[in-house]
């Protein structure tokens, strides 16, 4: 399912990335949520019977009610999501299908987030770690395009919450998790989605603090991989630039995935080096404190009887003065 409202400039590229999947047995439900002029034309230029376009009036909020309209007419055994401004890697569906082979009710992959000026960074949420699952339960950290779930994971297909202003996708994933406690979510450890900053956010980093951190590093690190720093022509969208690379550069998907893994490894190594240096300094300080604590008290110099008498004689004038003043 691909909802769309105001992106006729890039929705065609998103549709094309779905049609280019290595696994081709699917239907693509493009849900026009009060879509602006040009949207229907961008979708209908594809002569493919797998596409079904729903031209619906604008629904409240992000059009969650219209998504349910389309899902009530869906026929697939599995349900996935594709944003109208994202690009799917050609093996996206194939990868997620393997994730469901274990019997999981829902699976997800990694996303590569793309800034408005072409900085690429991985988002590596691993819900197999309990602390990351706890964080995910409190707030979403995974792009909606990364998910695929079984249609029978919930009693009804039209399960999108319609009365919430935002984050209905996150609420849906949590509902699936709650309804299938015996079936662990499956994590596909590879990037299969290019996730771009939504135009409505007017933000270089999609208003995501994590991506902002990555960008800050990229802006200052000479070692940032070239594959993860793609110049964007001011007359083109980021999606056009990356769609060209994906479609015309042999091995590009493998190359950018490897660059993403190299970046994660480099950042982990830098973190270890920083932490190790900090730890070493702390351990050295603690060792110094322990050494000082365990050292024997300073030994007073041993004075001869003559030296002690001389010291007492030197104190006599001072004592006499104190006596008369007292």
């Amino acid at each position: 399912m691909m909802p769309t409202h105001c992106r006729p400039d890039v929705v065609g590229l998103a549709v094309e990335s779905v049609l280019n999947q290595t696994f081709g047995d699917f239907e693509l439900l493009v849900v026009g949520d009060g879509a602006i002029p040009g949207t229907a034309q961008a979708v209908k230029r594809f002569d493919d019977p797998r596409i079904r376009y729903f031209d619906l009036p604008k629904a409240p909020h992000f059009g969650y009610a219209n998504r349910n309209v389309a899902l009530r007419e869906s026929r697939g055994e599995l349900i996935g999501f594709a944003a109208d401004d994202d690009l799917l890697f050609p093996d996206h569906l194939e990868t997620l299908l393997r994730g469901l082979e274990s019997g999981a009710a829902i699976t997800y992959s990694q996303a590569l987030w793309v800034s408005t000026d072409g900085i690429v960074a991985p988002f590596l949420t691993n819900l197999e770690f309990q602390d990351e699952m706890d964080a995910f339960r409190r707030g979403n950290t995974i792009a909606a395009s990364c998910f695929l779930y079984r249609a029978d994971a919930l009693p009804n297909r039209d399960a999108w919450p319609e009365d919430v202003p935002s984050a209905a996708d996150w609420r849906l994933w949590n509902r699936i998790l709650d309804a299938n406690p015996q079936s662990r979510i499956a994590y596909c450890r590879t990037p299969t989605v290019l996730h771009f900053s939504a135009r409505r956010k007017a933000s270089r980093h999609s208003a995501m603090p994590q991506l902002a951190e990555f960008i800050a590093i990229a802006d200052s690190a000479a070692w940032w991989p070239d594959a993860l720093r793609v110049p964007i022509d001011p007359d083109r969208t980021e999606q056009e630039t990356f769609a060209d690379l994906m479609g015309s550069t042999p091995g590009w998907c493998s190359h950018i995935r490897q660059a993403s893994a190299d970046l994660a490894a480099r950042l982990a190594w830098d973190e270890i080096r920083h932490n190790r240096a900090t730890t070493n300094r702390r351990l050295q300080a603690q060792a110094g404190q322990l050494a000082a604590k365990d050292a024997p008290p300073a030994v007073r110099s041993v004075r001869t009887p003559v030296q002690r008498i001389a010291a007492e004689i030197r104190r006599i004038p001072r004592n006499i003065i104190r006596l008369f003043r007292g």
Side-chain angles (χ1 to χ4, degrees):
M1 180 178 63
M2 179 185 294
T4 187
H5 171 60
C6 62
R7 292 309 304 266
D9 56 333
V10 298
V11 67
L13 297 172
V15 168
E16 190 170 13
S17 76
V18 177
L19 298 180
N20 288 340
Q21 292 297 297
T22 54
F23 178 87
D25 184 14
F26 60 83
E27 60 180 355
L28 173 58
L29 312 178
V30 183
V31 184
D33 177 40
I36 67 174
T39 304
Q41 292 82 349
V43 175
K44 291 181 179 180
R45 72 179 178 86
F46 296 97
D47 185 18
D48 193 307
R50 294 174 295 181
I51 301 176
R52 300 166 67 190
Y53 182 66
F54 295 78
D55 190 7
L56 303 172
K58 183 73 184 75
H61 309 305
F62 285 98
Y64 300 136
N66 284 337
R67 302 178 190 191
N68 284 331
V69 169
L71 285 175
R72 283 193 285 270
E73 298 192 27
S74 64
R75 301 184 292 260
E77 297 176 5
L78 308 171
I79 300 174
F81 185 90
D84 63 354
D85 58 351
D86 283 354
L87 298 176
L88 306 182
F89 285 63
D91 60 353
H92 171 75
L93 287 177
E94 182 181 345
T95 300
L96 292 176
L97 283 168
R98 288 198 300 268
L100 292 177
E101 289 177 353
S102 64
I106 184 170
T107 186
Y108 73 102
S109 62
Q110 293 178 10
L112 295 179
W113 288 58
V114 185
S115 71
T116 55
D117 54 347
I119 301 298
V120 183
F123 271 51
L124 307 174
T125 299
N126 185 348
L127 299 183
E128 294 177 359
F129 291 125
Q130 189 58 51
D131 60 337
E132 295 195 42
M133 174 62 84
D134 293 342
F136 177 76
R137 289 290 204 161
R138 293 191 297 269
N140 198 11
T141 56
I142 305 173
S145 297
C146 293
F147 286 91
L148 183 71
Y149 63 97
R150 299 184 185 277
D152 61 2
L154 294 172
N156 302 310
R157 289 174 177 258
D158 53 346
W160 280 75
E162 299 182 7
D163 58 349
V164 296
S166 62
D169 56 333
W170 169 71
R171 299 172 192 273
L172 177 60
W173 316 143
N174 276 285
R175 184 179 172 192
I176 293 172
L177 292 174
D178 291 337
N180 299 271
Q182 77 290 348
S183 174
R184 294 182 63 84
I185 187 169
Y187 177 31
C188 300
R189 292 167 167 78
T190 188
T192 68
V193 176
L194 290 174
H195 186 60
F196 298 86
S197 180
R199 177 180 290 174
R200 61 183 172 78
K201 293 184 178 180
S203 167
R204 180 189 182 195
H205 49 73
S206 197
M208 288 294 292
Q210 298 96 323
L211 182 56
E213 290 286 343
F214 274 119
I215 292 174
I217 297 171
D219 287 345
S220 60
W223 51 260
W224 190 270
D226 290 341
L228 305 182
R229 193 195 305 271
V230 179
I232 306 297
D233 190 301
D235 296 326
R236 307 187 76 202
T237 63
E238 308 93 271
Q239 289 85 346
E240 288 175 299
T241 301
F242 279 86
D244 284 350
L245 290 171
M246 185 180 292
S248 63
T249 306
W252 182 84
C253 291
S254 296
H255 185 49
I256 197 169
R257 282 169 170 163
Q258 185 60 59
S260 171
D262 291 344
L263 172 64
R266 174 60 188 258
L267 293 174
W269 174 239
D270 281 357
E271 181 68 14
I272 289 171
R273 286 194 302 176
H274 171 74
N275 285 340
R276 187 171 60 185
T278 302
T279 300
N280 286 342
R281 288 193 295 270
R282 185 174 67 250
L283 291 176
Q284 289 171 359
Q286 290 174 350
Q289 292 170 358
L290 289 174
K293 180 180 179 181
D294 295 337
V299 179
R300 292 186 178 183
S301 60
V302 178
R303 293 182 293 180
T304 66
V306 174
Q307 290 173 327
R308 288 199 298 271
I309 292 171
E312 291 297 332
I313 292 173
R314 286 195 295 271
R315 283 197 290 269
I316 289 175
R318 184 168 64 248
N319 291 338
I320 292 174
I321 293 173
R322 288 177 177 172
L323 178 63
F324 280 100
R325 284 180 177 176

